[in-house]
Amino acid sequence: MAEDKTIFLRDVRILVDKLQKTLKTKKHNHITMPKKCLICEDSAEFAIKNSNDYYCKECAEEQFNDISCLVPVEEANKTSEEAIDQLEELNKTEL
Ligand SMILES: [Zn+2]
């Protein structure tokens, strides 16, 4: 029983490591690549929640009557940075 738990926790640790690496790559991209609007390629101000679709303010307003599904680009970046921080905390925790 105790052995099963150890194996499970080790698998979780491996998964967290993988996820962390993926997120770090994404974080890096956010810094090095300015986001562009999908439609007019102007610099983007909004992103669709949980996606890689970016729009400038004008196109966002044109495309979406309801912009509540949109988040400011900076906030979208912040969200992934927070996720990385949380994972790093989790990884520090002794399992
Ligand atoms: Zn645009």
Side-chain angles (χ1 to χ4, degrees):
M1 192 66 183
E3 216 168 281
D4 285 351
K5 200 181 166 197
T6 311
I7 291 164
F8 171 73
L9 288 175
R10 196 192 57 201
D11 287 348
V12 169
R13 169 79 47 105
I14 291 165
L15 273 175
V16 167
D17 277 345
K18 274 188 191 165
L19 199 53
Q20 215 172 7
K21 274 175 195 146
T22 312
L23 284 171
K24 276 205 168 137
T25 312
K26 280 191 180 169
K27 188 178 178 181
H28 185 68
N29 286 344
H30 278 309
I31 293 162
T32 55
M33 289 163 44
K35 296 302 171 195
K36 284 186 174 178
C37 173
L38 269 185
I39 294 162
C40 68
E41 299 205 330
D42 211 346
S43 67
E45 284 180 58
F46 294 98
I48 297 184
K49 263 181 214 168
N50 305 320
S51 90
N52 290 317
D53 294 345
Y54 296 91
Y55 297 93
C56 69
K57 195 167 182 283
E58 264 174 53
C59 293
E61 280 170 355
E62 223 166 88
Q63 294 290 310
F64 306 96
N65 294 326
D66 176 19
I67 62 163
S68 64
C69 64
L70 300 169
V71 290
V73 169
E74 275 149 42
E75 202 175 298
N77 288 350
K78 210 177 108 210
T79 307
S80 57
E81 278 173 27
E82 271 169 15
I84 292 166
D85 289 345
Q86 277 168 14
L87 279 177
E88 276 169 358
E89 277 305 309
L90 189 65
N91 220 20
K92 271 185 237 155
T93 313
E94 274 306 313
L95 291 177

Short mmCIF file of all heavy atoms in Angstrom, two decimals, residues 39-83:
data_model
loop_
_atom_site.label_atom_id
_atom_site.label_comp_id
_atom_site.label_asym_id
_atom_site.label_seq_id
_atom_site.Cartn_x
_atom_site.Cartn_y
_atom_site.Cartn_z
N ILE A 39 -6.24 39.05 -37.34
CA ILE A 39 -6.92 39.56 -38.52
C ILE A 39 -6.08 40.60 -39.27
O ILE A 39 -5.80 40.46 -40.45
CB ILE A 39 -8.30 40.14 -38.14
CG1 ILE A 39 -9.18 38.98 -37.64
CG2 ILE A 39 -8.96 40.83 -39.33
CD1 ILE A 39 -10.38 39.42 -36.84
N CYS A 40 -5.64 41.63 -38.56
CA CYS A 40 -4.96 42.72 -39.26
C CYS A 40 -3.46 42.78 -38.95
O CYS A 40 -2.74 43.61 -39.51
CB CYS A 40 -5.62 44.06 -38.93
SG CYS A 40 -5.36 44.53 -37.21
N GLU A 41 -2.99 41.88 -38.08
CA GLU A 41 -1.57 41.80 -37.73
C GLU A 41 -1.03 43.04 -37.02
O GLU A 41 0.17 43.25 -36.93
CB GLU A 41 -0.72 41.45 -38.96
CG GLU A 41 -1.10 40.10 -39.54
CD GLU A 41 0.04 39.46 -40.31
OE1 GLU A 41 0.87 40.19 -40.87
OE2 GLU A 41 0.10 38.22 -40.34
N ASP A 42 -1.94 43.87 -36.55
CA ASP A 42 -1.57 44.98 -35.69
C ASP A 42 -1.18 44.37 -34.34
O ASP A 42 -1.43 43.20 -34.09
CB ASP A 42 -2.80 45.88 -35.52
CG ASP A 42 -2.39 47.33 -35.32
OD1 ASP A 42 -1.20 47.56 -35.03
OD2 ASP A 42 -3.25 48.20 -35.47
N SER A 43 -0.53 45.15 -33.47
CA SER A 43 -0.16 44.56 -32.18
C SER A 43 -1.42 44.29 -31.36
O SER A 43 -2.31 45.13 -31.27
CB SER A 43 0.81 45.46 -31.43
OG SER A 43 0.16 46.65 -31.07
N ALA A 44 -1.48 43.09 -30.80
CA ALA A 44 -2.70 42.63 -30.15
C ALA A 44 -2.81 43.14 -28.72
O ALA A 44 -1.80 43.27 -28.02
CB ALA A 44 -2.73 41.11 -30.15
N GLU A 45 -4.03 43.43 -28.33
CA GLU A 45 -4.27 43.87 -26.96
C GLU A 45 -5.11 42.86 -26.19
O GLU A 45 -5.14 42.87 -24.98
CB GLU A 45 -5.02 45.21 -26.97
CG GLU A 45 -4.13 46.38 -27.29
CD GLU A 45 -4.94 47.66 -27.28
OE1 GLU A 45 -5.56 47.97 -26.25
OE2 GLU A 45 -4.97 48.34 -28.32
N PHE A 46 -5.80 41.99 -26.94
CA PHE A 46 -6.68 41.02 -26.28
C PHE A 46 -6.37 39.61 -26.73
O PHE A 46 -5.95 39.38 -27.86
CB PHE A 46 -8.16 41.33 -26.58
CG PHE A 46 -8.61 42.63 -25.98
CD1 PHE A 46 -8.65 43.79 -26.75
CD2 PHE A 46 -8.99 42.70 -24.66
CE1 PHE A 46 -9.05 44.99 -26.20
CE2 PHE A 46 -9.39 43.90 -24.09
CZ PHE A 46 -9.42 45.05 -24.87
N ALA A 47 -6.63 38.68 -25.83
CA ALA A 47 -6.50 37.26 -26.15
C ALA A 47 -7.79 36.57 -25.77
O ALA A 47 -8.49 37.01 -24.86
CB ALA A 47 -5.34 36.66 -25.38
N ILE A 48 -8.10 35.49 -26.47
CA ILE A 48 -9.25 34.69 -26.06
C ILE A 48 -8.79 33.80 -24.93
O ILE A 48 -7.73 33.18 -25.01
CB ILE A 48 -9.79 33.85 -27.24
CG1 ILE A 48 -10.29 34.80 -28.32
CG2 ILE A 48 -10.90 32.92 -26.77
CD1 ILE A 48 -10.92 34.10 -29.49
N LYS A 49 -9.60 33.75 -23.88
CA LYS A 49 -9.26 32.94 -22.72
C LYS A 49 -8.87 31.53 -23.13
O LYS A 49 -9.55 30.91 -23.95
CB LYS A 49 -10.47 32.88 -21.77
CG LYS A 49 -10.40 33.89 -20.65
CD LYS A 49 -11.60 33.75 -19.74
CE LYS A 49 -12.00 35.12 -19.21
NZ LYS A 49 -13.29 35.11 -18.56
N ASN A 50 -7.80 31.03 -22.54
CA ASN A 50 -7.34 29.65 -22.75
C ASN A 50 -7.08 29.31 -24.21
O ASN A 50 -7.32 28.20 -24.65
CB ASN A 50 -8.36 28.64 -22.18
CG ASN A 50 -8.66 28.90 -20.73
OD1 ASN A 50 -7.77 29.23 -19.95
ND2 ASN A 50 -9.91 28.79 -20.36
N SER A 51 -6.64 30.28 -24.99
CA SER A 51 -6.28 29.97 -26.37
C SER A 51 -5.11 30.84 -26.82
O SER A 51 -4.67 31.71 -26.09
CB SER A 51 -7.47 30.18 -27.30
OG SER A 51 -7.45 31.51 -27.78
N ASN A 52 -4.64 30.59 -28.02
CA ASN A 52 -3.54 31.40 -28.55
C ASN A 52 -4.04 32.39 -29.61
O ASN A 52 -3.29 32.78 -30.49
CB ASN A 52 -2.46 30.49 -29.15
CG ASN A 52 -1.73 29.73 -28.07
OD1 ASN A 52 -1.39 30.28 -27.02
ND2 ASN A 52 -1.49 28.47 -28.31
N ASP A 53 -5.32 32.73 -29.54
CA ASP A 53 -5.88 33.68 -30.49
C ASP A 53 -5.80 35.09 -29.92
O ASP A 53 -6.31 35.36 -28.84
CB ASP A 53 -7.34 33.33 -30.80
CG ASP A 53 -7.45 32.00 -31.51
OD1 ASP A 53 -6.41 31.51 -31.99
OD2 ASP A 53 -8.56 31.46 -31.57
N TYR A 54 -5.18 35.98 -30.68
CA TYR A 54 -4.99 37.36 -30.22
C TYR A 54 -5.62 38.34 -31.20
O TYR A 54 -5.62 38.12 -32.41
CB TYR A 54 -3.50 37.67 -30.08
CG TYR A 54 -2.85 36.82 -29.02
CD1 TYR A 54 -2.27 35.60 -29.34
CD2 TYR A 54 -2.83 37.24 -27.69
CE1 TYR A 54 -1.68 34.81 -28.36
CE2 TYR A 54 -2.24 36.47 -26.71
CZ TYR A 54 -1.67 35.25 -27.05
OH TYR A 54 -1.10 34.48 -26.08
N TYR A 55 -6.16 39.40 -30.65
CA TYR A 55 -6.79 40.44 -31.47
C TYR A 55 -6.43 41.83 -30.97
O TYR A 55 -6.25 42.03 -29.77
CB TYR A 55 -8.32 40.29 -31.41
CG TYR A 55 -8.84 38.99 -31.97
CD1 TYR A 55 -9.05 37.90 -31.14
CD2 TYR A 55 -9.09 38.86 -33.33
CE1 TYR A 55 -9.50 36.69 -31.65
CE2 TYR A 55 -9.55 37.66 -33.85
CZ TYR A 55 -9.75 36.58 -33.01
OH TYR A 55 -10.20 35.40 -33.51
N CYS A 56 -6.37 42.77 -31.91
CA CYS A 56 -6.24 44.15 -31.50
C CYS A 56 -7.61 44.61 -31.01
O CYS A 56 -8.62 43.92 -31.20
CB CYS A 56 -5.75 45.03 -32.65
SG CYS A 56 -6.95 45.23 -33.97
N LYS A 57 -7.67 45.77 -30.40
CA LYS A 57 -8.92 46.23 -29.80
C LYS A 57 -10.03 46.36 -30.86
O LYS A 57 -11.14 45.89 -30.66
CB LYS A 57 -8.67 47.58 -29.13
CG LYS A 57 -9.78 48.01 -28.18
CD LYS A 57 -9.32 49.17 -27.31
CE LYS A 57 -10.38 49.60 -26.33
NZ LYS A 57 -11.45 50.39 -26.97
N GLU A 58 -9.69 46.96 -31.99
CA GLU A 58 -10.68 47.17 -33.05
C GLU A 58 -11.29 45.88 -33.54
O GLU A 58 -12.50 45.73 -33.62
CB GLU A 58 -10.03 47.90 -34.22
CG GLU A 58 -10.25 49.40 -34.19
CD GLU A 58 -9.46 50.09 -35.29
OE1 GLU A 58 -9.60 49.67 -36.45
OE2 GLU A 58 -8.69 51.02 -34.97
N CYS A 59 -10.42 44.94 -33.91
CA CYS A 59 -10.90 43.66 -34.44
C CYS A 59 -11.67 42.88 -33.38
O CYS A 59 -12.67 42.24 -33.67
CB CYS A 59 -9.75 42.82 -34.98
SG CYS A 59 -8.98 43.55 -36.44
N ALA A 60 -11.21 42.96 -32.14
CA ALA A 60 -11.88 42.25 -31.05
C ALA A 60 -13.32 42.75 -30.92
O ALA A 60 -14.26 41.96 -30.82
CB ALA A 60 -11.13 42.44 -29.75
N GLU A 61 -13.47 44.08 -30.98
CA GLU A 61 -14.81 44.65 -30.84
C GLU A 61 -15.68 44.29 -32.05
O GLU A 61 -16.87 44.08 -31.93
CB GLU A 61 -14.71 46.17 -30.68
CG GLU A 61 -14.37 46.54 -29.24
CD GLU A 61 -14.03 48.01 -29.08
OE1 GLU A 61 -13.98 48.74 -30.09
OE2 GLU A 61 -13.82 48.42 -27.92
N GLU A 62 -15.06 44.22 -33.22
CA GLU A 62 -15.78 43.87 -34.44
C GLU A 62 -16.23 42.41 -34.40
O GLU A 62 -17.34 42.08 -34.80
CB GLU A 62 -14.84 44.07 -35.64
CG GLU A 62 -15.51 44.75 -36.81
CD GLU A 62 -14.47 45.22 -37.80
OE1 GLU A 62 -14.11 44.40 -38.66
OE2 GLU A 62 -14.00 46.37 -37.69
N GLN A 63 -15.32 41.54 -33.94
CA GLN A 63 -15.58 40.10 -33.97
C GLN A 63 -16.51 39.63 -32.87
O GLN A 63 -17.27 38.70 -33.04
CB GLN A 63 -14.27 39.32 -33.85
CG GLN A 63 -13.33 39.48 -35.01
CD GLN A 63 -13.86 38.79 -36.26
OE1 GLN A 63 -14.24 37.63 -36.22
NE2 GLN A 63 -13.91 39.51 -37.36
N PHE A 64 -16.39 40.25 -31.71
CA PHE A 64 -17.12 39.76 -30.55
C PHE A 64 -18.02 40.86 -29.99
O PHE A 64 -17.53 41.89 -29.53
CB PHE A 64 -16.16 39.31 -29.46
CG PHE A 64 -15.16 38.30 -29.95
CD1 PHE A 64 -13.89 38.71 -30.35
CD2 PHE A 64 -15.48 36.95 -30.01
CE1 PHE A 64 -12.97 37.80 -30.82
CE2 PHE A 64 -14.56 36.03 -30.48
CZ PHE A 64 -13.30 36.46 -30.88
N ASN A 65 -19.31 40.61 -30.05
CA ASN A 65 -20.22 41.55 -29.41
C ASN A 65 -20.00 41.53 -27.91
O ASN A 65 -20.05 42.53 -27.23
CB ASN A 65 -21.67 41.17 -29.72
CG ASN A 65 -21.97 41.34 -31.20
OD1 ASN A 65 -21.44 42.24 -31.84
ND2 ASN A 65 -22.80 40.47 -31.74
N ASP A 66 -19.75 40.32 -27.43
CA ASP A 66 -19.51 40.13 -26.00
C ASP A 66 -18.02 39.89 -25.82
O ASP A 66 -17.51 38.84 -26.20
CB ASP A 66 -20.33 38.94 -25.51
CG ASP A 66 -20.05 38.63 -24.05
OD1 ASP A 66 -19.53 39.52 -23.35
OD2 ASP A 66 -20.35 37.51 -23.64
N ILE A 67 -17.33 40.89 -25.26
CA ILE A 67 -15.88 40.71 -25.12
C ILE A 67 -15.50 40.14 -23.76
O ILE A 67 -14.34 40.15 -23.37
CB ILE A 67 -15.09 42.01 -25.42
CG1 ILE A 67 -15.45 43.12 -24.45
CG2 ILE A 67 -15.27 42.45 -26.87
CD1 ILE A 67 -14.42 44.26 -24.44
N SER A 68 -16.48 39.58 -23.07
CA SER A 68 -16.17 39.00 -21.76
C SER A 68 -15.35 37.71 -21.90
O SER A 68 -14.75 37.23 -20.94
CB SER A 68 -17.44 38.73 -20.96
OG SER A 68 -18.23 37.77 -21.63
N CYS A 69 -15.34 37.14 -23.11
CA CYS A 69 -14.53 35.93 -23.33
C CYS A 69 -13.08 36.32 -23.63
O CYS A 69 -12.22 35.46 -23.81
CB CYS A 69 -15.10 35.08 -24.45
SG CYS A 69 -15.08 35.90 -26.04
N LEU A 70 -12.83 37.64 -23.71
CA LEU A 70 -11.47 38.11 -24.00
C LEU A 70 -10.77 38.59 -22.74
O LEU A 70 -11.41 39.11 -21.84
CB LEU A 70 -11.52 39.26 -25.02
CG LEU A 70 -12.14 38.95 -26.38
CD1 LEU A 70 -12.36 40.23 -27.14
CD2 LEU A 70 -11.26 38.01 -27.16
N VAL A 71 -9.47 38.38 -22.72
CA VAL A 71 -8.68 38.92 -21.61
C VAL A 71 -7.57 39.77 -22.20
O VAL A 71 -7.10 39.50 -23.31
CB VAL A 71 -8.06 37.79 -20.74
CG1 VAL A 71 -9.15 37.07 -19.95
CG2 VAL A 71 -7.26 36.82 -21.57
N PRO A 72 -7.16 40.84 -21.49
CA PRO A 72 -6.03 41.63 -21.99
C PRO A 72 -4.81 40.74 -22.14
O PRO A 72 -4.61 39.81 -21.36
CB PRO A 72 -5.80 42.67 -20.89
CG PRO A 72 -7.07 42.72 -20.13
CD PRO A 72 -7.69 41.36 -20.24
N VAL A 73 -3.99 41.00 -23.15
CA VAL A 73 -2.81 40.17 -23.43
C VAL A 73 -1.93 40.05 -22.20
O VAL A 73 -1.45 38.98 -21.87
CB VAL A 73 -2.01 40.74 -24.62
CG1 VAL A 73 -0.66 40.06 -24.75
CG2 VAL A 73 -2.80 40.55 -25.90
N GLU A 74 -1.72 41.17 -21.52
CA GLU A 74 -0.85 41.13 -20.33
C GLU A 74 -1.38 40.18 -19.27
O GLU A 74 -0.61 39.46 -18.63
CB GLU A 74 -0.73 42.54 -19.72
CG GLU A 74 0.35 43.35 -20.39
CD GLU A 74 0.02 44.82 -20.38
OE1 GLU A 74 -0.46 45.30 -19.35
OE2 GLU A 74 0.24 45.48 -21.41
N GLU A 75 -2.71 40.18 -19.13
CA GLU A 75 -3.30 39.30 -18.14
C GLU A 75 -3.15 37.84 -18.54
O GLU A 75 -2.90 36.98 -17.71
CB GLU A 75 -4.78 39.65 -17.96
CG GLU A 75 -5.33 39.20 -16.63
CD GLU A 75 -6.76 39.67 -16.45
OE1 GLU A 75 -6.96 40.90 -16.45
OE2 GLU A 75 -7.65 38.83 -16.35
N ALA A 76 -3.28 37.59 -19.84
CA ALA A 76 -3.11 36.22 -20.34
C ALA A 76 -1.69 35.74 -20.06
O ALA A 76 -1.48 34.60 -19.65
CB ALA A 76 -3.40 36.17 -21.84
N ASN A 77 -0.71 36.63 -20.25
CA ASN A 77 0.67 36.27 -19.95
C ASN A 77 0.85 36.02 -18.46
O ASN A 77 1.53 35.09 -18.05
CB ASN A 77 1.62 37.40 -20.36
CG ASN A 77 1.75 37.50 -21.86
OD1 ASN A 77 1.28 36.62 -22.58
ND2 ASN A 77 2.37 38.55 -22.32
N LYS A 78 0.25 36.90 -17.67
CA LYS A 78 0.37 36.79 -16.22
C LYS A 78 -0.17 35.45 -15.74
O LYS A 78 0.41 34.81 -14.87
CB LYS A 78 -0.40 37.94 -15.55
CG LYS A 78 0.20 38.35 -14.22
CD LYS A 78 -0.55 39.55 -13.64
CE LYS A 78 -1.38 39.15 -12.46
NZ LYS A 78 -2.57 39.95 -12.26
N THR A 79 -1.28 35.04 -16.33
CA THR A 79 -1.89 33.78 -15.93
C THR A 79 -0.91 32.63 -16.08
O THR A 79 -0.76 31.82 -15.18
CB THR A 79 -3.16 33.50 -16.75
OG1 THR A 79 -4.00 34.63 -16.65
CG2 THR A 79 -3.89 32.28 -16.26
N SER A 80 -0.19 32.59 -17.20
CA SER A 80 0.74 31.47 -17.38
C SER A 80 1.94 31.61 -16.45
O SER A 80 2.49 30.61 -15.99
CB SER A 80 1.17 31.34 -18.83
OG SER A 80 1.75 32.52 -19.29
N GLU A 81 2.33 32.84 -16.15
CA GLU A 81 3.43 33.03 -15.21
C GLU A 81 3.04 32.56 -13.81
O GLU A 81 3.82 31.94 -13.11
CB GLU A 81 3.86 34.50 -15.17
CG GLU A 81 4.80 34.84 -16.31
CD GLU A 81 5.09 36.33 -16.39
OE1 GLU A 81 5.03 37.01 -15.35
OE2 GLU A 81 5.38 36.79 -17.50
N GLU A 82 1.79 32.86 -13.44
CA GLU A 82 1.31 32.41 -12.14
C GLU A 82 1.27 30.89 -12.08
O GLU A 82 1.61 30.29 -11.07
CB GLU A 82 -0.08 32.98 -11.86
CG GLU A 82 -0.02 34.33 -11.18
CD GLU A 82 -1.36 35.04 -11.16
OE1 GLU A 82 -2.39 34.39 -11.41
OE2 GLU A 82 -1.38 36.24 -10.90
N ALA A 83 0.86 30.29 -13.19
CA ALA A 83 0.80 28.82 -13.23
C ALA A 83 2.18 28.23 -13.03
O ALA A 83 2.35 27.24 -12.33
CB ALA A 83 0.21 28.37 -14.57
#
